[in-house]
Amino acid sequence: MSQRQIPKDRIPDSTTANQGLTPDQVIAAQRTFGFNDIIAQTAGNWRDIARDTARDPMLWFLVLSAALFAGLGQLTESLTLVLAMLPLLGMDAYLHRRTAASSAGLASRLASEARVLRNGQWTDLAARELVPGDLVEVRPGEYFPADGILVAGSDLQVDESTLTGESLPVAKRAIPPSDHVPAMASEDRWGTAGTRLLTGTAWLRVLFTGGSTRYGEIVRSATEGRHEATPLQKAIGELVVMLLAAALIVCVVLAAVRLWQGHGWIDALLSAVTLAVAAIPEEFPVVYTFFLGMGVFRLARKNALVRRAVAVENIGRTSCIVSDKTGTITAGELLLSDLAPDNGLNDDRLLQVAKLAARTDSGDPLDQALHSRPGKMPQARLLASFPFTEARRRETAVWAMPDGTLQACTKGAPETVLSVCSLSAQDQSRWLDRVGEHARSGRKVIACAYRSMEASEPSPQEPAQGFTFAGLLAFEDPVRDGVREAVAQCMTAGMRVIMVTGDHPATAIAIARSIGLGGGTPTAVVMEAEDDPKEILQQHPAIDVVARATPSQKLVLVQALQSQGELVAVTGDGVNDVPALRQADIGVAMGARGTRSAREVAPVVLLDDNFRTIVDAVAEGRQLFQNLRLAFAYLLLIHLPLVIGAAAIPLMGLPLLFLPIHIVWLELVIHPTAMLAFQDLPSSGPLAKVQRHRSTRFFPTGVWVGIGLIGSLISLAVIWSYLHALGADRDVAHARAMALTMLLVASAGITTGLSRLVRSSSRWPVFGTLLSVLVLVQIPPISHFLNLRPLHPQDWMICFIGFAAITAGTLLLARRLTHVPGNPDIPFKTGEP
């Protein structure tokens, strides 16, 4: 067992094992170490919230875009972007305040008061007033108020599940009485802030307070936030900056050329402004925000509550899941799973013996699991009890039975109980073999026995021999339904699943084997206190299980995986998971059983605490990201001919291709199409192997080439249609109608090819676009108002030939987008769990 150093400078020289501090010693310690404030008393203010929110790069991009539109007089577009900012501002402010509030959640696991020996007297005071050197008494059910060594107490068992992940009670021992304090003490001699004493009464010599405690280290990790732009946000920003720079350059060139051609300042300004409105890519951040909002809604329907919208992006790109065991993969409850009575007994009698040996007021989960099982009990009276100790390894109760006899019932470690029973060596060996089988399956096993006693004994003593063996009881923390299938789906897709726990190695390996990690033969590593997870990961690259891991080691493991290019999702429910949840690309907390601090630091909360839900969330995130790429492909394909046509025609010295009213019409088509036609597309295709990289590109090189080629062909079609309809008589109204119709028909064709019209949400934009062309172009009063002229039948034939060609081309492009070999963004097949 690992050793922990005891700092001698934190214990006054004159202090003995059972002596408290004097007032002068307390004052001196407070000057040196301060108050025992494990949770810093901070109150967030609006200035901090504003400064924190201002770090979001997407908000600044929306501000810039809105300002540009306002400067160009396009108030509707500017207002749209301002409204798109409000949810982001509100969400950032909410998350900032909830992060501050998470301190209260962390504090729920700490003692608020402590009973301390000072100046020779026991007194109750606020836990924050404790100092190193204080002697504190901790009673059953109470939390340790600081870190220190145990100097007195017997039958000590501690619940460390929220700090270390250990699902079973941990036995503790006091250091042997001595005139001097040892230099080192093993972990079972320490009491730690944030852990709860289950049995016995402990005296704790405080050594570490405040931020120096292990709990304090977790708090610091939890409150150190990161506000980095996500990979997709960075990619959007780079794309928008590139398009914006190109658009501004073309606007300036166009204005200069129109002036040089002699068209005057008004025409030059109108040409530049019209082109700017058409070219500024404000749809990209708006569509991105809208899609994330829809992702939040759809994930909520799958029991995954997303508290930060950008988590939808990251969850779809996850390549590795680092999962806690207790409460995440397992139910987090100790259940009686198997009874093996000895010959001549049945399950009911074995359970009765075990219950008689177990205390009803115990905080031990094993005793609670026994008493939660229904079964008829005799009307007996307890005469004496002999509690479990590390030395005896069993506990015994003596009962006065209804028939007037006395009966002693004992339970405990199988080796110990078998040794006090009247069994042959062969029978003992047979039962020990069964104990080994249970242990290899990750179960905790106890043995039970009973014997009759003389009723004349005035003060019953615990019998040392002569017991009748009753049988074995096995307990386990059961695996949640659907976890095995979810793990298999992750492995099929090439996603790594690593189970990290502070629990016993045998238990962890058994659980990993039962859920199929490592194909049923998991690679496991047992962490020692001095082990470096980075080195462990290098030595065991295919690791599946990490047992006995501390919170700091779990955090370093996540960082090491990220340095290898993994996009890491961390699932957990306890305080011990908070640092890793914070560090992860996507932290996923359990909603029902999770601690408040874990829920508030994680951007995603599973409402049903089911590991399967995280896999469904990954599938939904992948599909949403895929649909978002289709929407961006549409925007690029429609903006290329829009911008090229709006620039090329005026540069030829011809009348403007688009008037401001035409740009408004086009925007009314482009905006809803981009937001509605692609956001609800279903997944298709087989599971794909993920690739491990931390950068995000919109499209592979081949897709970029396809977009450029199709966009250029549509641009040529728009320009040619304008020139063709303009004719020798220079019928500008007819030419504009022809070019607009070609562009709008192209929009319908692009939407048809990319979406395949598999949803009504994609069919309606196509229908609405074609209907708007028929109404606004072919009805003379309306077309006259728009400076257009109705088209001829041969014009319509040309446009619909273009529609067919564009649809075919984008169908091929869509196949490249959704079926790129090895593409990490091909979605899972989604489905209800």
Side-chain angles (χ1 to χ4, degrees):
M1 183 174 293
S2 61
Q3 300 280 317
R4 190 175 176 187
Q5 186 174 5
I6 298 176
K8 297 295 184 64
D9 59 333
R10 292 173 178 259
I11 304 177
D13 294 335
S14 61
T15 302
T16 60
N18 60 353
Q19 182 181 6
L21 298 181
T22 65
D24 291 340
Q25 291 173 330
V26 171
I27 293 173
Q30 284 182 339
R31 289 174 180 171
T32 303
F33 302 106
F35 286 104
N36 181 32
D37 287 329
I38 297 177
I39 305 296
Q41 305 296 321
T42 58
N45 55 59
W46 288 108
R47 182 178 299 175
D48 293 334
I49 294 173
R51 183 172 56 251
D52 196 51
T53 302
R55 298 174 183 173
D56 192 334
M58 185 56 67
L59 289 176
W60 283 109
F61 171 71
L62 290 173
V63 169
L64 177 62
S65 299
L68 286 172
F69 265 87
L72 294 170
Q74 302 297 318
L75 298 181
T76 301
E77 285 78 1
S78 179
L79 181 60
T80 300
L81 291 177
V82 170
L83 293 177
M85 278 187 272
L86 294 180
L88 291 177
L89 288 169
M91 188 172 295
D92 277 355
Y94 170 78
L95 288 171
H96 182 98
R97 295 189 68 84
R98 295 309 293 172
T99 298
S102 67
S103 295
L106 289 166
S108 66
R109 290 283 174 174
L110 298 175
S112 58
E113 294 185 351
R115 181 172 174 80
V116 60
L117 181 64
R118 285 185 177 175
N119 203 29
Q121 294 184 345
W122 289 100
T123 182
D124 294 328
L125 48 75
R128 74 183 302 262
E129 296 182 20
L130 293 178
V131 296
D134 267 326
L135 183 62
V136 177
E137 182 184 72
V138 182
R139 298 171 181 174
E142 296 180 348
Y143 287 93
F144 286 95
D147 288 6
I149 52 173
L150 299 167
V151 296
S154 61
D155 185 27
L156 302 179
Q157 295 188 84
V158 177
D159 175 11
E160 296 186 338
S161 59
T162 59
L163 194 64
T164 67
E166 173 67 73
S167 59
L168 301 176
V170 178
K172 297 287 185 176
R173 302 179 296 162
I175 62 173
S178 174
D179 293 335
H180 65 279
V181 178
M184 305 285 290
S186 58
E187 289 291 342
D188 63 342
R189 309 280 190 177
W190 287 79
T192 309
T195 64
R196 183 165 61 98
L197 184 65
L198 297 176
T199 59
T201 298
W203 282 16
L204 180 80
R205 178 69 67 184
V206 175
L207 296 177
F208 297 99
T209 58
S212 299
T213 63
R214 289 181 171 176
Y215 206 98
E217 294 173 358
I218 290 178
V219 172
R220 286 199 303 273
S221 299
T223 54
E224 291 174 358
R226 299 187 305 165
H227 280 269
E228 301 174 1
T230 67
L232 185 55
Q233 283 180 319
K234 294 177 181 177
I236 291 175
E238 292 170 359
L239 177 63
V240 167
V241 168
M242 179 184 68
L243 295 176
L244 188 60
L248 292 177
I249 292 172
V250 174
C251 288
V252 172
V253 171
L254 178 60
V257 169
R258 295 297 282 183
L259 282 174
W260 178 75
Q261 291 173 344
H263 291 282
W265 283 101
I266 299 298
D267 182 277
L269 182 60
L270 182 61
S271 301
V273 170
T274 302
L275 178 60
V277 173
I280 293 177
E282 87 285 355
E283 294 96 345
F284 287 94
V286 172
V287 169
Y288 174 75
T289 303
F290 179 78
F291 269 57
L292 291 187
M294 291 303 301
V296 170
F297 172 73
R298 291 212 296 268
L299 287 175
R301 293 191 301 181
K302 292 183 176 290
N303 291 316
L305 177 63
V306 178
R307 300 176 61 250
R308 189 181 181 200
V310 294
V312 177
E313 171 200 335
N314 276 345
I315 200 170
R317 301 174 56 245
T318 299
S319 64
C320 178
I321 299 177
V322 175
S323 177
D324 185 34
K325 177 186 73 68
T326 305
T328 306
I329 291 176
T330 66
E333 299 175 353
L334 197 62
L335 301 179
L336 178 57
S337 59
D338 186 75
L339 294 94
D342 195 11
N343 295 332
L345 298 181
N346 56 27
D347 289 353
D348 291 339
R349 175 55 179 159
L350 174 59
L351 182 61
Q352 186 181 93
V353 172
K355 285 185 175 181
L356 288 172
R359 289 170 295 171
T360 58
D361 59 347
S362 171
D364 189 336
L366 189 147
D367 288 346
Q368 294 173 350
L370 283 173
H371 286 292
S372 66
R373 286 286 292 263
K376 186 176 180 180
M377 298 294 292
Q379 297 296 318
R381 178 170 56 90
L382 180 65
L383 297 180
S385 63
F386 305 91
F388 181 95
T389 66
E390 283 294 317
R392 299 187 323 108
R393 303 287 291 171
R394 67 184 175 104
E395 64 177 328
T396 305
V398 180
W399 296 84
M401 306 304 289
D403 60 2
T405 62
L406 299 186
Q407 187 174 100
C409 296
T410 188
K411 70 176 179 69
E415 298 85 351
T416 302
V417 174
L418 286 169
S419 67
V420 299
C421 293
S422 302
L423 287 175
S424 66
Q426 183 178 2
D427 287 339
Q428 288 194 29
S429 177
R430 178 170 56 85
W431 282 109
L432 287 175
D433 288 341
R434 298 189 65 173
V435 171
E437 293 175 2
H438 284 299
R440 287 189 292 272
S441 298
R443 298 186 180 97
K444 179 180 177 65
V445 185
I446 62 169
C448 297
Y450 64 96
R451 65 157 289 180
S452 297
M453 298 176 62
E454 294 294 333
S456 59
E457 294 182 18
S459 178
Q461 299 297 314
E462 181 183 25
Q465 293 292 332
F467 281 89
T468 299
F469 186 66
L472 301 177
L473 297 95
F475 299 80
E476 65 179 6
D477 186 2
V479 174
R480 292 184 178 276
D481 293 338
V483 170
R484 183 178 179 86
E485 294 78 8
V487 169
Q489 190 174 4
C490 290
M491 293 174 64
T492 301
M495 288 176 56
R496 297 183 64 179
V497 178
I498 302 175
M499 187 174 73
V500 180
T501 178
D503 216 336
H504 191 279
T507 303
I509 293 172
I511 294 297
R513 188 182 301 116
S514 68
I515 63 176
L517 281 180
T521 55
T523 301
V525 171
V526 180
M527 283 286 186
E528 300 294 341
E530 63 276 5
D531 286 343
D532 184 352
K534 293 182 179 179
E535 297 179 358
I536 295 294
L537 199 60
Q538 292 174 354
Q539 298 169 4
H540 305 277
I543 191 171
D544 301 301
V545 180
V546 179
R548 293 301 192 195
T550 65
S552 59
Q553 288 173 327
K554 185 173 183 178
L555 175 62
V556 175
L557 176 65
V558 172
Q559 293 170 336
L561 288 166
Q562 289 174 328
S563 67
Q564 292 182 352
E566 301 280 5
L567 284 104
V568 183
V570 172
T571 68
D573 65 346
V575 174
N576 60 305
D577 298 309
V578 169
L581 287 171
R582 189 80 177 183
Q583 173 66 32
D585 295 285
I586 177 72
V588 183
M590 303 296 109
R593 294 182 54 84
T595 58
R596 179 180 173 187
S597 52
R599 292 195 303 269
E600 289 174 346
V601 79
V604 176
V605 178
L606 302 187
L607 301 180
D608 59 358
D609 284 11
N610 197 329
F611 181 85
R612 165 100 194 173
T613 304
I614 183 64
V615 180
D616 285 335
V618 170
E620 195 68 54
R622 284 191 176 192
Q623 186 58 44
L624 182 135
F625 185 54
Q626 181 66 35
N627 294 345
L628 183 62
R629 295 203 310 170
L630 290 170
F632 283 170
Y634 165 81
L635 289 173
L636 288 170
L637 286 170
I638 198 64
H639 266 283
L640 277 174
L642 177 60
V643 174
I644 292 175
I649 296 299
L651 288 174
M652 295 178 186
L654 299 173
L656 295 178
L657 173 58
F658 301 126
L659 299 177
I661 190 64
H662 302 152
I663 297 299
V664 173
W665 178 11
L666 290 169
E667 292 296 317
L668 289 175
V669 170
I670 294 172
H671 277 249
T673 299
M675 289 192 292
L676 300 178
F678 307 100
Q679 57 88 16
D680 196 30
L681 297 181
S683 63
S684 61
L687 299 178
K689 295 290 184 179
V690 298
Q691 290 180 351
R692 287 163 174 81
H693 56 80
R694 302 192 61 78
S695 62
T696 295
R697 294 185 304 164
F698 280 122
F699 315 110
T701 303
V703 174
W704 276 114
V705 172
I707 290 174
L709 180 61
I710 295 174
S712 298
L713 292 176
I714 297 174
S715 301
L716 291 175
V718 169
I719 295 171
W720 178 87
S721 63
Y722 179 91
L723 297 175
H724 172 75
L726 187 63
D729 56 354
R730 300 182 68 83
D731 189 344
V732 177
H734 182 216
R736 285 173 176 160
M738 184 66 180
L740 266 173
T741 300
M742 179 61 76
L743 185 57
L744 290 167
V745 166
S747 173
I750 295 168
T751 306
T752 300
L754 293 179
S755 71
R756 300 180 181 88
L757 302 183
V758 294
R759 287 280 195 267
S760 59
S761 58
S762 58
R763 292 192 288 268
W764 278 111
V766 172
F767 175 77
T769 299
L770 297 177
L771 180 62
S772 71
V773 174
L774 289 172
V775 171
L776 299 181
V777 173
Q778 292 303 105
I779 299 177
I782 300 177
S783 62
H784 179 72
F785 174 77
L786 296 175
N787 294 300
L788 304 175
R789 192 183 307 282
L791 299 183
H792 307 307
Q794 58 269 30
D795 297 331
W796 284 106
M797 182 63 68
I798 293 172
C799 288
F800 279 100
I801 290 175
F803 173 82
I806 292 167
T807 300
T810 50
L811 275 171
L812 294 174
L813 183 65
R815 289 182 61 84
R816 292 294 302 272
L817 270 170
T818 56
H819 295 285
V820 177
N823 187 347
D825 302 314
I826 298 177
F828 282 103
K829 288 182 178 179
T830 57
E832 294 299 328

